[in-house]
Every structure is written in structure tokens, then in C-alpha cells.
Amino acid sequence: MLLVDYTNQLKEDLQHLKDLFEQSSPPEDLRDKDYFEMVKEKTLPVYELLSKWEELALKIIKESKISVHPNQIVSTRENMELLLMHSFYIDVRRRRYMELNRSVLYVFDQLLRAVE
């Protein structure tokens, strides 16, 4: 099923972002255009996948009446987008980052359990 594949790929991306956050330093200049372009290039596929995932998840929730609320899907997309930026710019406290990470992971796992 496509939703399971999307969700599993996003879980891998989430782990990669967490590793990046924990092992990287913030950029020296937040206005560095080259760094911005590199971030944009690396995050674009995740943004695109996240958009497809959200659309498909909301459709399946509406049709199947599974135990995940549509607001959770929307919030998860938003939180994942925050994590994408925080992972490269390291501009949030570790505790806040981990809360967002756990929240996203929780909904991914909840969704996987509901559709399997």
C-alpha cells in the first residue's frame, strides 16, 4: 500500500533529520545563500513526499474511518516541516526538537497500526 510506503520513508527521513540535528553545528551565517540552496535541494523531496502523504492519509481517513484524526495528520505535516528546518539551522532547543520528533513519530506509528 502506498500510504505505508510513504509513512515508512518519512520515518526514515525523520531519523536522518534527528541524526543531522544531533551531529551538526548551526551555519555560521544564517543568510548564507549557498547553504540555503543546499538545504532547499536536500529538503525538497521530503516536502514533496510529505505533501503526498498528507493528501493520501486524509483521503484514507475519510474513507476508512480509521482511528487517526485529520487534525493529527495536518499537525504532523506542519511539525515535520519545522523539523526539516530545525535540523539544518539548529535553531531550537534540543528538548523542543525531541518533543516535535516524538510527536511526528507517534502519529506515523499510529497511522501504520491503523492501516495494517
Side-chain angles (χ1 to χ4, degrees):
M1 176 180 224
L2 216 47
L3 184 60
V4 172
D5 296 336
Y6 285 173
T7 306
N8 283 324
Q9 179 59 52
L10 286 169
K11 281 180 68 172
E12 285 180 31
D13 293 337
L14 184 65
Q15 182 59 49
H16 174 72
L17 291 171
K18 182 180 170 192
D19 294 343
L20 187 66
F21 179 81
E22 291 179 327
Q23 297 166 7
S24 300
S25 307
E28 288 182 25
D29 179 9
L30 293 177
R31 294 188 193 98
D32 182 346
K33 187 159 175 48
D34 291 336
Y35 188 77
F36 174 79
E37 289 300 324
M38 182 273 300
V39 169
K40 188 175 168 185
E41 184 181 309
K42 286 187 180 217
T43 59
L44 187 61
V46 182
Y47 276 110
E48 290 171 351
L49 178 60
L50 203 49
S51 179
K52 291 178 193 172
W53 172 84
E54 179 187 31
E55 189 178 317
L56 186 58
L58 290 172
K59 182 178 173 215
I60 288 174
I61 287 170
K62 190 176 178 184
E63 292 170 358
S64 309
K65 305 286 187 236
I66 59 177
S67 64
V68 179
H69 198 275
N71 287 348
Q72 287 177 286
I73 299 298
V74 174
S75 294
T76 298
R77 189 206 77 230
E78 292 169 354
N79 288 341
M80 183 79 172
E81 288 174 349
L82 287 172
L83 289 170
L84 277 163
M85 288 298 99
H86 293 324
S87 296
F88 285 92
Y89 286 97
I90 326 291
D91 57 355
V92 68
R93 290 179 183 217
R94 186 177 194 286
R95 181 177 176 184
R96 174 70 179 136
Y97 185 92
M98 292 305 165
E99 287 170 356
L100 285 169
N101 185 287
R102 277 191 298 276
S103 173
V104 169
L105 189 58
Y106 174 80
V107 174
F108 285 163
D109 288 340
Q110 187 181 15
L111 188 62
L112 285 172
R113 281 191 302 275
V115 294
E116 286 175 344

